[in-house]
Amino acid sequence: MSLEKRDHAVLWHPFTQYGTEDDLIAVERAEGVWLFTRDGKKFMDVNGSWWVNIHGHCHPYITQLLNNQLQKLHHVIFAGVTHEPAVKLGELLTERAPEGLKRVFYSDNGSTAVEVALKMAIQYFFNRGEKRKRFLAFEGAYHGDTFGAMSVGQRGGFNVPFETLFFEVDFLPLPNEENLHEVMKSLRKLLAAHQYAGFVYEPLIQGAAGMRMYNVGHLDLVLSAMREHGALLIADEVFTGFGRTGAWFASQHCVASPDLMCLSKGLTAGVLPLGVTMSTESIFNTFVDNDKARAFLHGHSFTANPLACTAAIASIQLLDRQECWQSIRMISAAHQSFIEEAYIKEVKKEAVISQAAAMGTVLRLELQTNERSGYYNSTRSMTYAWFMKKGLLIRPLGNILYVNPPYCISREELETVYMAIREYLIIHSQSHRTSL
Ligand SMILES: *Cc1c(COP(=O)(O)O)cnc(C)c1O
């Protein structure tokens, strides 16, 4: 029986509608930006394997460090015990993180990194005897799939069946040149009405909302109002961390440094699951006491898994190399010149796409359709299938086509992607026109 058939008999895949979904591809091995299937095909991983893969697949340096670690220690309880990989990773992170983030708390994925930040924020005020537990977030936010993370996420999207169980959160529209005045007015109104514990945000790019990019100056205005209000700034850098936006962390483009920061995805270069919540020393200190109940009584079985920490150490050491930042700059510049091409400007004028934007290593094209723009837009399946036929794994978010490659992609490989996109835009413009 084929692997696909055996899969269909027993597995239940994430974010998958079995009633309509495309065929599975069975990947056997991978190297760099390439995925190789059992039946001898290859696909370029333009999606970075759900945004986690930053150095390419099976990087020999990560493999080597993991091999060494496998001989020494696989896993151990992390309460009352410590080990070299956990401490070393903590040191590497605190040296590179935005100013003031001096404590590292481990969990095992992006959702739990957010969950931990929310709980830390609530208990921070609880321990200080202050009544603050309300959160503010941006419309369109995605912070993960556990209940706390879902609660601070966009309503009416992925989570409709669960919404009545969420805690109350206020949402602010994402600021832009047109609405900035209105957004700041709404913010002032909300701040007068409530005492917020924290503001949760994906700095500069809202990933799952469709790679929505927004202005750092606008974000700074919101952050400075929240800080003045006394709320904690909780930066969810699960997607934007580790070079995606052209800096180590997107928060480093901002004036205000966050009080709490959530990391996962690129943290281990996509090799093993690991989550991190970083906090300031002053938050940490409110948990230090003789009273056990004031401690942060939260932990996961696989906290600080030594293998996962080792993969993260290797990934950070690769990011420390000059050539990695040269690649990041090469990709950013290539994306930028792509969106400035006469051809892209032309298709934009002809309403084939409504937006072309780039930030760091992320390129975003919003296809114009006669349906609502967003995750449920039906052009997705045609777009996905077309690029798969070309050997490119591009997983659009509805009508949002994006490129988010591992940093090891070459200029030539990037050009293959752009060529395919140019070709697809012609096809899309024809099908879009006939459907009008
Ligand atoms: C992916 C993502 C999460 C959730 O991470 P998981 O590891 O999938 O649980 C949280 N926040 C942001 C910004 C993300 O992109």
Side-chain angles (χ1 to χ4, degrees):
M1 218 198 306
S2 75
L3 190 64
E4 291 85 336
K5 281 224 177 77
R6 281 164 53 210
D7 176 296
H8 266 294
V10 291
L11 301 188
W12 188 343
H13 284 255
F15 279 94
T16 298
Q17 174 47 272
Y18 277 80
T20 60
E21 198 62 15
D22 334 275
D23 294 339
L24 283 170
I25 55 165
V27 173
E28 194 164 55
R29 61 183 190 90
E31 198 184 321
V33 290
W34 295 100
L35 306 171
F36 299 91
T37 68
R38 278 163 67 104
D39 54 359
K41 291 193 195 128
K42 66 174 195 174
F43 294 93
M44 197 195 290
D45 191 358
V46 186
N47 174 269
S49 280
W50 249 351
W51 323 343
V52 301
N53 194 303
I54 58 174
H55 300 301
H57 292 270
C58 291
H59 195 289
Y61 182 67
I62 302 176
T63 306
Q64 183 202 327
L65 258 58
L66 276 175
N67 268 336
N68 296 345
Q69 184 58 38
L70 272 166
Q71 313 304 317
K72 289 192 247 172
L73 178 67
H74 294 181
H75 186 70
V76 65
I77 181 174
F78 202 61
V81 174
T82 192
H83 50 78
E84 176 68 24
V87 176
K88 177 147 189 192
L89 177 57
E91 290 164 352
L92 293 175
L93 286 171
T94 50
E95 282 157 19
R96 285 155 188 78
E99 214 185 304
L101 295 172
K102 293 296 171 209
R103 288 279 160 186
V104 173
F105 187 94
Y106 292 111
S107 62
D108 42 31
N109 62 71
S111 304
T112 55
V114 170
E115 214 62 49
V116 164
L118 298 174
K119 286 181 67 176
M120 280 180 176
I122 291 169
Q123 195 179 339
Y124 166 79
F125 288 108
F126 180 89
N127 283 356
R128 285 160 50 112
E130 286 183 54
K131 282 203 184 67
R132 284 186 189 236
K133 50 188 172 190
R134 199 178 178 94
F135 290 97
L136 183 74
F138 276 134
E139 287 175 6
Y142 176 77
H143 297 291
D145 296 341
T146 52
F147 268 90
M150 285 196 291
S151 292
V152 290
Q154 170 68 38
R155 303 296 152 94
F158 299 156
N159 303 320
V160 172
F162 317 106
E163 282 182 5
T164 52
L165 300 169
F166 293 171
F167 53 78
E168 235 184 300
V169 173
D170 295 304
F171 291 92
L172 199 64
L174 204 64
N176 58 45
E177 294 300 339
E178 284 81 54
N179 72 4
L180 184 62
H181 185 72
E182 280 307 304
V183 170
M184 293 312 289
K185 213 165 93 183
S186 318
L187 177 59
R188 280 191 293 274
K189 236 189 230 163
L190 286 168
L191 295 186
H194 305 288
Q195 287 279 299
Y196 289 99
F199 172 56
V200 194
Y201 56 103
E202 293 157 88
L204 306 191
I205 309 178
Q206 285 188 320
M211 298 295 157
R212 283 167 75 189
M213 297 166 185
Y214 63 108
N215 181 289
V216 63
H218 298 165
L219 176 59
D220 275 330
L221 287 174
V222 176
L223 294 183
S224 114
M226 291 314 291
R227 175 145 288 162
E228 202 173 306
H229 176 78
L232 298 178
L233 307 182
I234 306 172
D236 177 355
E237 296 233 20
V238 169
F239 169 58
T240 52
F242 303 100
R244 273 289 161 217
T245 66
W248 271 90
F249 301 100
S251 293
Q252 287 160 334
H253 297 289
C254 301
V255 175
S257 199
D259 302 291
L260 292 160
M261 181 168 79
C262 312
L263 302 172
S264 190
K265 293 202 165 116
L267 171 62
T268 62
V271 176
L272 284 164
L274 185 65
V276 154
T277 309
M278 297 189 72
S279 93
T280 60
E281 205 61 8
S282 83
I283 292 177
F284 174 76
N285 284 335
T286 60
F287 291 73
V288 180
D289 197 86
N290 294 327
D291 180 1
K292 186 147 189 179
R294 287 170 66 95
F296 191 55
L297 301 177
H298 178 117
H300 299 277
S301 316
F302 286 99
T303 291
N305 175 265
L307 296 167
C309 290
T310 299
I313 291 167
S315 174
I316 289 174
Q317 288 172 341
L318 289 173
L319 262 169
D320 277 339
R321 296 183 185 171
Q322 275 308 315
E323 60 253 43
C324 188
W325 292 97
Q326 274 160 14
S327 301
I328 290 171
R329 282 192 294 272
M330 181 279 287
I331 299 167
S332 310
H335 283 349
Q336 206 60 47
S337 51
F338 179 73
I339 61 171
E340 282 160 17
E341 276 177 19
Y343 177 71
I344 296 299
K345 290 200 167 132
E346 187 62 23
V347 289
K348 198 168 164 208
K349 209 160 70 199
E350 289 179 14
V352 177
I353 53 173
S354 42
Q355 206 213 14
M359 185 178 287
T361 62
V362 186
L363 169 71
R364 172 191 203 268
L365 296 169
E366 184 168 343
L367 301 176
Q368 185 89 48
T369 69
N370 45 15
E371 287 171 42
R372 217 179 121 190
S373 182
Y375 186 74
Y376 295 105
N377 189 292
S378 70
T379 53
R380 184 209 167 269
S381 54
M382 176 186 158
T383 313
Y384 179 74
W386 189 88
F387 281 100
M388 285 302 267
K389 271 210 196 101
K390 290 268 165 191
L392 301 171
L393 199 157
I394 289 187
R395 224 185 122 86
L397 287 155
N399 59 320
I400 316 299
L401 189 62
Y402 67 91
V403 175
N404 183 48
Y407 308 149
C408 66
I409 195 168
S410 71
R411 185 67 185 82
E412 294 69 38
E413 286 160 341
L414 259 183
E415 193 52 39
T416 320
V417 178
Y418 298 148
M419 286 289 285
I421 293 176
R422 289 185 201 106
E423 198 183 327
Y424 185 71
L425 290 178
I426 297 173
I427 292 166
H428 172 71
S429 88
Q430 285 157 355
S431 68
H432 175 48
R433 254 186 229 122
T434 47
S435 69
L436 281 178

